């Protein structure tokens, strides 16, 4: 089954404790991206990647890191989480054609206390 | 930077009535305009899309129209049903540099269909 898989689904952590949210896709998509969803603000892009070892900042990259060492994986790293990073996060993938559907993961609800 | 504006933020309609959600985009080079539906607690999923070489597309009760000159596109849902209640996002894709692009989403519309 074609899918984007994120883990974990829910995470509660403390300020400053490094965490990683994993994202994996099995559709051989070139393009992968991370979004955060906050009430009234929609889906805001954090980082995106068109290829292995190529990553670009989205609209809200501060406080986040990503890596793309393999085509299928695109982890999101919070080196020192802060409460303002409490949000719902989605990973998505699509192929290299920009006129194409984005497939989303199940989402990760992160709470930083 | 490039952006997509979406209105209204909330919309309540009686079951059986029509619903219209509107979006405007800023990048005249955008050429792909998808609409996503997000049910409560679920991930966004594509319901319909339109490319810039087409003015209108319809899929059963759902239709999308595109006005390239005015840089706006709209989602039309006819004969609304309770299961249409969800958050709807419009989006546009725009080239950033040669070979890569960004997906830019609107801020979402919460549609409530009242039985």
């Amino acid at each position: 089954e074609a899918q984007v898989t994120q883990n974990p689904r829910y995470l509660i952590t403390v300020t400053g404790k490094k965490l990683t949210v994993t994202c994996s896709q099995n559709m051989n998509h070139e393009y992968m991206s991370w979004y955060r969803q906050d009430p009234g603000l929609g889906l805001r892009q954090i980082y995106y990647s068109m290829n292995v070892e190529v990553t670009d900042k989205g609209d809200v990259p501060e406080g986040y890191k990503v890596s793309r060492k393999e085509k299928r994986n695109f982890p999101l790293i919070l080196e020192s989480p802060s409460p303002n990073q409490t949000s719902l996060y989605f990973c998505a993938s699509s192929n290299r054609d920009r006129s194409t559907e984005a497939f989303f993961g199940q989402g990760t609800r992160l709470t930083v206390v | 930077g490039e952006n997509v504006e979406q209105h209204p933020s909330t919309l309540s309609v009686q079951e059986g009535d029509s619903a219209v959600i509107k979006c405007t985009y800023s990048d005249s080079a955008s050429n792909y305009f998808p609409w996503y539906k997000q049910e409560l607690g679920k991930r966004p999923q594509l319901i319909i899309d339109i490319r810039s070489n087409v003015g209108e597309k319809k899929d059963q009760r759902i239709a999308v129209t595109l006005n390239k000159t005015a840089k706006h596109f709209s989602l039309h849902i006819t004969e609304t049903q309770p299961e249409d209640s969800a958050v709807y996002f419009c989006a546009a894709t725009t080239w950033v540099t040669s070979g890569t692009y960004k997906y830019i989403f609107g801020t979402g519309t919460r549609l409530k269909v009242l039985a």
Side-chain angles (χ1 to χ4, degrees):
Chain A
E1 179 189 355
Q3 58 186 0
V4 179
T5 303
Q6 283 178 238
N7 280 295
R9 293 290 311 277
Y10 302 92
L11 180 58
I12 301 175
T13 190
V14 296
T15 299
K17 185 176 180 181
K18 180 180 179 180
L19 66 91
T20 300
V21 184
T22 63
C23 174
S24 180
Q25 52 95 3
N26 64 359
M27 294 170 279
N28 201 36
H29 284 161
E30 291 84 4
Y31 190 90
M32 297 186 74
S33 55
W34 277 101
Y35 300 88
R36 60 178 290 173
Q37 183 176 8
D38 302 289
L41 297 177
L43 292 158
R44 294 181 293 167
Q45 196 172 45
I46 302 171
Y47 270 95
Y48 58 100
S49 168
M50 181 59 95
N51 210 339
V52 174
E53 302 293 359
V54 178
T55 61
D56 290 287
K57 295 179 180 178
D59 297 318
V60 288
E62 295 77 19
Y64 305 95
K65 287 176 59 177
V66 293
S67 69
R68 188 91 182 272
K69 299 189 186 307
E70 304 168 279
K71 192 174 185 179
R72 63 183 291 123
N73 296 323
F74 192 46
L76 179 69
I77 303 157
L78 284 71
E79 295 270 4
S80 182
S82 62
N84 64 10
Q85 293 178 298
T86 292
S87 187
L88 177 60
Y89 292 86
F90 285 100
C91 177
S93 75
S94 52
N95 67 35
R96 69 180 306 110
D97 181 353
R98 67 170 174 152
S99 301
T100 184
E101 176 181 1
F103 292 84
F104 285 84
Q106 321 95 299
T108 296
R109 186 166 293 282
L110 172 66
T111 302
V112 183
V113 298
Chain B
E2 307 301 343
N3 73 307
V4 174
E5 293 188 2
Q6 182 171 350
H7 299 282
S9 56
T10 61
L11 179 60
S12 294
V13 299
Q14 289 294 134
E15 182 177 357
D17 287 351
S18 295
V20 181
I21 303 170
K22 299 181 178 182
C23 289
T24 59
Y25 59 98
S26 59
D27 183 6
S28 57
S30 295
N31 76 338
Y32 178 64
F33 308 93
W35 286 89
Y36 289 82
K37 176 183 181 182
Q38 185 181 28
E39 297 177 348
L40 190 62
K42 301 287 184 64
R43 73 190 81 188
Q45 292 191 294
L46 182 75
I47 54 171
I48 195 167
D49 56 14
I50 192 167
R51 290 166 177 77
S52 58
N53 58 348
V54 176
E56 183 174 356
K57 183 177 179 180
K58 188 173 181 180
D59 182 3
Q60 298 183 2
R61 297 185 297 107
I62 294 174
V64 56
T65 58
L66 172 64
N67 182 327
K68 286 177 58 180
T69 302
K71 291 193 284 187
H72 67 69
F73 56 113
S74 301
L75 178 71
H76 305 255
I77 305 175
T78 58
E79 301 172 16
T80 53
Q81 302 168 3
E83 51 264 38
D84 294 329
S85 295
V87 177
Y88 292 81
F89 291 99
C90 62
T93 59
T94 184
W95 287 115
V96 178
T97 57
S98 178
T100 191
Y101 61 89
K102 289 181 67 174
Y103 244 90
I104 303 175
F105 285 87
T107 49
T109 296
R110 183 173 298 278
L111 173 64
K112 296 180 184 178
V113 179
L114 307 172

